[in-house]
Amino acid sequence: RMINLAELTPYILCSICKGYFIDATTITECLHTFCKSCIVRHFYYSNRCPKCNIVVHQTQPLYNIRLDRQLQDIVYKLVVNLEEREKKQMHDFYKERGLEVPKPAVPQPVPVSRGRPRKVLGSVFRIPPELDISILLEFIGANEGTGNFKPLEKKFVRVSGEATIGHVEKFLRRKMDLDPACQVDIICGDHLLEHYQTLREIRQAIGESAVQDGLLVLHYGLVVSRLTV
């Protein structure tokens, strides 16, 4: 049966600009989709999803978004002339400014042992070079009186080497929903770390004994704050 476009419109509209998806881009944390330009602009001043308010990434939310080519193809097939209008607008934009019009990405054939070459596209988003430290957060326990807390869902984190132990503690507090009275002790090897220390300094000072498979290993424990005892 024929389907009215109005029935599908709510599923192919960007909630930020209220227009049809252009370069449909999905947040990997919550799977909400927006125009690429809309969500990139939004992340200039916020690290939360515009629809569900979840924290996408503490410091680099652009790392957790991906182009959704299949959804964009569907939008272009459903909305007549949308793709042609968008290409013309982009062409005019660059020409008016005397710039070279960028060429679309072309899938590159990859050699295979048998059969025809298979076309694949590389990752749309690469890890930014400033995210140069990968850390492994290992929980070593909590003493009595620390209250209820949520276990950390992801213990592997990639951050800038300029991030401090204070930033790591804030990350743990938010993700685990910790009570303010709960103290977080972060240890590397047998060293109790201070808030002002950066991850790069720690890795350089402690050396390979702090590294496991390329990851800086940090252990953290929860105790009742000394201020409340």
Side-chain angles (χ1 to χ4, degrees), residues 45-48 53-61 137 148-154 165-180 182 184 186 220 222:
Y45 58 86
S46 174
N47 64 351
R48 293 180 176 272
N53 206 39
I54 187 177
V55 175
V56 177
H57 192 283
Q58 292 292 342
T59 57
Q60 294 287 340
L137 296 168
N148 296 324
F149 56 86
K150 296 189 296 185
L152 190 65
E153 294 181 1
K154 297 180 179 179
I165 292 302
H167 292 126
V168 176
E169 179 180 335
K170 288 181 180 179
F171 171 78
L172 291 170
R173 287 189 178 278
R174 289 186 182 182
K175 290 295 185 180
M176 300 178 70
D177 196 20
L178 297 178
D179 188 282
C182 180
V184 182
I186 301 178
Y220 64 97
L222 309 179

Side-chain angles (χ1 to χ4, degrees), residues 22-89:
I22 299 297
D23 292 333
T25 301
T26 299
I27 298 174
T28 58
E29 292 292 305
C30 58
L31 301 183
H32 288 133
T33 303
F34 310 88
C35 298
K36 179 182 176 182
S37 60
C38 291
I39 192 60
V40 169
R41 191 182 306 115
H42 171 82
F43 282 152
Y44 283 154
Y45 58 86
S46 174
N47 64 351
R48 293 180 176 272
C49 171
K51 290 193 82 171
C52 66
N53 206 39
I54 187 177
V55 175
V56 177
H57 192 283
Q58 292 292 342
T59 57
Q60 294 287 340
L62 292 177
Y63 175 56
N64 286 354
I65 60 177
R66 297 288 185 273
L67 286 178
D68 191 332
R69 300 181 188 279
Q70 288 183 327
L71 177 57
Q72 190 60 57
D73 287 343
I74 292 173
V75 174
Y76 281 151
K77 290 182 185 299
L78 289 173
V79 185
V80 179
N81 295 328
L82 177 64
E83 184 175 12
E84 289 73 16
R85 293 200 304 269
E86 185 62 25
K87 287 181 178 179
K88 184 179 184 304
Q89 287 182 4

Side-chain angles (χ1 to χ4, degrees), residues 2 9 21 61 100 150 153 171 181 199 202 208 215:
M2 298 294 291
T9 295
F21 289 134
E100 183 180 354
K150 296 189 296 185
E153 294 181 1
F171 171 78
L199 297 176
I202 294 167
E208 291 304 314
L215 301 168

Side-chain angles (χ1 to χ4, degrees), residues 65-194:
I65 60 177
R66 297 288 185 273
L67 286 178
D68 191 332
R69 300 181 188 279
Q70 288 183 327
L71 177 57
Q72 190 60 57
D73 287 343
I74 292 173
V75 174
Y76 281 151
K77 290 182 185 299
L78 289 173
V79 185
V80 179
N81 295 328
L82 177 64
E83 184 175 12
E84 289 73 16
R85 293 200 304 269
E86 185 62 25
K87 287 181 178 179
K88 184 179 184 304
Q89 287 182 4
M90 183 180 71
H91 183 274
D92 293 344
F93 175 88
Y94 282 93
K95 285 297 184 182
E96 289 172 2
R97 291 159 177 78
L99 303 173
E100 183 180 354
V101 180
K103 297 178 181 179
V106 179
Q108 298 296 320
V110 177
V112 292
S113 57
R114 292 182 299 176
R116 299 176 61 183
R118 182 167 51 93
K119 293 183 178 181
V120 297
L121 282 175
S123 175
V124 177
F125 292 93
R126 293 183 172 84
I127 297 174
E130 60 269 23
L131 300 182
D132 56 342
I133 298 287
S134 297
I135 60 176
L136 169 61
L137 296 168
E138 292 282 12
F139 183 51
I140 55 176
N143 71 349
E144 294 184 7
T146 52
N148 296 324
F149 56 86
K150 296 189 296 185
L152 190 65
E153 294 181 1
K154 297 180 179 179
K155 61 181 182 178
F156 299 98
V157 185
R158 193 174 181 94
V159 296
S160 167
E162 295 302 315
T164 65
I165 292 302
H167 292 126
V168 176
E169 179 180 335
K170 288 181 180 179
F171 171 78
L172 291 170
R173 287 189 178 278
R174 289 186 182 182
K175 290 295 185 180
M176 300 178 70
D177 196 20
L178 297 178
D179 188 282
C182 180
Q183 176 180 307
V184 182
D185 285 342
I186 301 178
I187 301 167
C188 187
D190 55 357
H191 300 270
L192 180 62
L193 304 175
E194 300 291 344

